[in-house]
Amino acid sequence: MKNPEKKKAAAEAPEQGAGLGDYSANPRIALDVPSECGGQRLDQILARLLAQHSRSRLQGWIRAGRVAVGGTPVLEPRQRLWAGDTIELAEAPDERAESSTPEDIPLQVVYADESLLVIDKPAGLVVHPGSGNWSGTLLNALLHHFADLDRLPRAGIVHRLDKDTSGLMVVARTLAAQTDLVRQLQARSVRRHYQAVARGLVESSGTVDAPIGRHPTQRTRMAVVSTGKAARTHYRVLERFLDCTLIECALESGRTHQIRVHMTTAGHPLVGDPVYGSGVSRLPAGPRFARQALHASRLALLHPLTGEAMLWRSALPADMAELIESLRRQAAATRSGPAFADEDEADGDGWDDDAWEDEPDLLGADADLEEDDEPPMPH
């Protein structure tokens, strides 16, 4: 089946021989194909010469008629070029970032330098503008506090957290950093750990390895489906209460609602989750909580400019801390005290404590904090 997006781009692009479209307001780049690139595809050559852009972004520009070779627009990314060919490219701004208005929304910035930001997102803050949430988002806040982000796709955002999930997110400040971070996410070298409160008593640590895609009949939900994208979640028990369990989850992939879907598949949906787990009738409902009890508590990556290994941690937000303290009091009133996981038990299948042992000291946060503990390509 033909790709309708390609047909649409071709219909909107200028005719062959007509020159580039009217992109006079956009920066233009002139390039000569070096000898070592002779015979390669146009998109491969551009990706090599313009490493700050992702290949998917460059392919989109080609199909939109923003690239000309020898003065003639080329709409096919696979067209091969030869040494000495001249390329002209009209860069495109990101329309979604352009259409967003800066808004003075408070942000907790954990770390900032010339290449990236790390934000501790509160629960209730939507990341991207979209249906029903065209304002009041993290993107709007970023454009207010860091005006230079209006030059970047999605204002530098490279991954998401659900509206009612709190915790750490990384944001790029340059195109080169954004492309590098996306590639790290794709290579699964970005480490993300979460703390969550799951319904029921989780017996042991484990791994859920199951593909995730759109629910076949409820399109606003995700589900484990054979046609979905590969997804893997490791989890371990931190503490058990009367009818729920504090767990830590580590992601190898970044699918929409991944932890929520996988823990429901494991028979332990998250406390407070309004979407998943309603059909798990054998479990106690758990305590009332206004959102899914999920917090992105630990983030590690390689700095896109220096290559240095970096690690940040985030304390549990007040609502989750209060929930856990309440559960501890209830457990203590019924038995001798909360049931913490045994050390050997916590080292469940797929869990690698050693991965964190050589990480650098905590960056951009209080060193006395407790250890409280999927990507869109820019185009």
Side-chain angles (χ1 to χ4, degrees):
M1 179 181 294
K2 294 184 178 179
N3 186 336
E5 292 301 319
K6 292 184 181 180
K7 293 177 65 177
K8 178 182 177 183
E12 294 176 349
E15 295 180 358
Q16 295 284 348
L20 288 180
D22 184 14
Y23 300 129
S24 55
N26 306 126
R28 288 175 180 254
I29 298 174
L31 303 165
D32 291 324
V33 177
S35 57
E36 63 268 24
C37 293
Q40 294 183 6
R41 292 165 35 147
L42 173 58
D43 58 346
Q44 294 173 330
I45 295 171
L46 287 175
R48 178 171 177 172
L49 299 179
L50 302 172
Q52 71 272 30
H53 296 298
S54 67
R55 188 185 294 188
S56 65
R57 181 174 176 82
L58 293 166
Q59 288 172 340
W61 286 351
I62 294 168
R63 295 185 179 114
R66 290 183 172 272
V67 177
V69 176
T72 301
V74 175
L75 307 181
E76 177 49 65
R78 293 176 295 181
Q79 179 166 322
R80 297 192 180 275
L81 305 186
W82 307 99
D85 284 346
T86 58
I87 304 172
E88 184 180 8
L89 180 149
E91 289 186 307
D94 184 72
E95 294 178 357
R96 283 166 291 189
E98 277 196 333
S99 64
S100 299
T101 303
E103 296 181 41
D104 188 3
I105 300 169
L107 285 180
Q108 183 176 349
V109 179
V110 175
Y111 176 83
D113 65 22
E114 68 275 17
S115 296
L116 58 81
L117 307 165
V118 175
I119 306 295
D120 201 338
K121 186 187 87 70
L125 181 63
V126 174
V127 172
H128 289 113
S131 180
N133 294 285
W134 294 108
S135 62
T137 70
L138 174 63
L139 187 147
N140 299 112
L142 287 169
L143 292 175
H144 173 81
H145 295 284
F146 304 94
D148 57 327
L149 293 180
D150 66 354
R151 301 178 290 104
L152 301 183
R154 300 182 182 87
I157 296 170
V158 295
H159 67 119
R160 291 174 287 184
L161 292 177
D162 294 339
K163 173 184 176 181
D164 290 325
T165 297
S166 55
L168 297 172
M169 291 184 61
V170 62
V171 177
R173 299 191 73 176
T174 68
L175 270 175
Q178 188 172 35
T179 300
D180 183 85
L181 289 170
V182 167
R183 289 171 178 163
Q184 288 191 52
L185 286 163
Q186 292 175 329
R188 301 182 181 179
S189 60
V190 176
R191 292 185 173 273
R192 291 164 290 168
H193 283 209
Y194 296 71
Q195 271 202 343
V197 182
R199 289 168 51 192
L201 297 180
V202 180
E203 294 182 0
S204 62
S205 302
T207 296
V208 181
D209 189 349
I212 292 177
R214 287 286 172 193
H215 192 285
T217 59
Q218 302 176 48
R219 304 303 292 173
T220 59
R221 298 179 55 167
M222 308 301 288
V224 170
V225 292
S226 60
T227 56
K229 295 182 179 180
R232 179 178 294 176
T233 303
H234 304 292
Y235 63 92
R236 67 172 174 177
V237 175
L238 298 180
E239 188 175 348
R240 295 188 187 90
F241 309 107
L242 292 181
D243 59 3
C244 52
T245 307
L246 177 63
I247 60 173
E248 184 178 22
C249 298
L251 299 182
E252 284 195 27
S253 50
R255 309 307 176 200
T256 301
H257 299 176
Q258 179 171 322
I259 292 175
R260 299 164 65 187
V261 171
H262 273 176
M263 291 312 300
T264 298
T265 299
H268 296 283
L270 302 190
V271 166
D273 195 325
V275 176
Y276 301 99
S278 58
V280 189
S281 57
R282 66 176 179 82
L283 287 179
R288 294 182 64 84
F289 196 61
R291 64 178 179 99
Q292 64 263 15
L294 182 62
H295 178 68
S297 53
R298 196 153 49 166
L299 172 68
L301 51 82
L302 298 179
H303 193 280
L305 183 61
T306 66
E308 178 185 359
M310 307 189 78
L311 167 66
W312 298 271
R313 295 182 180 128
S314 168
L316 286 173
D319 60 347
M320 279 190 67
E322 292 170 4
L323 169 66
I324 291 170
E325 185 56 34
S326 174
L327 293 170
R328 286 178 180 147
R329 289 196 299 267
Q330 293 174 11
T334 304
R335 57 195 184 203
S336 59
F340 294 91
D342 294 332
E343 183 175 351
D344 291 339
E345 178 184 298
D347 296 330
D349 293 341
W351 194 272
D352 185 7
D353 275 322
D354 294 338
W356 295 96
E357 288 183 356
D358 297 328
E359 296 290 355
D361 292 337
L362 192 65
L363 296 175
D366 187 345
D368 294 326
L369 293 179
E370 297 178 4
E371 291 188 7
D372 293 311
D373 290 12
E374 288 33 85
M377 175 69 77
H379 61 272

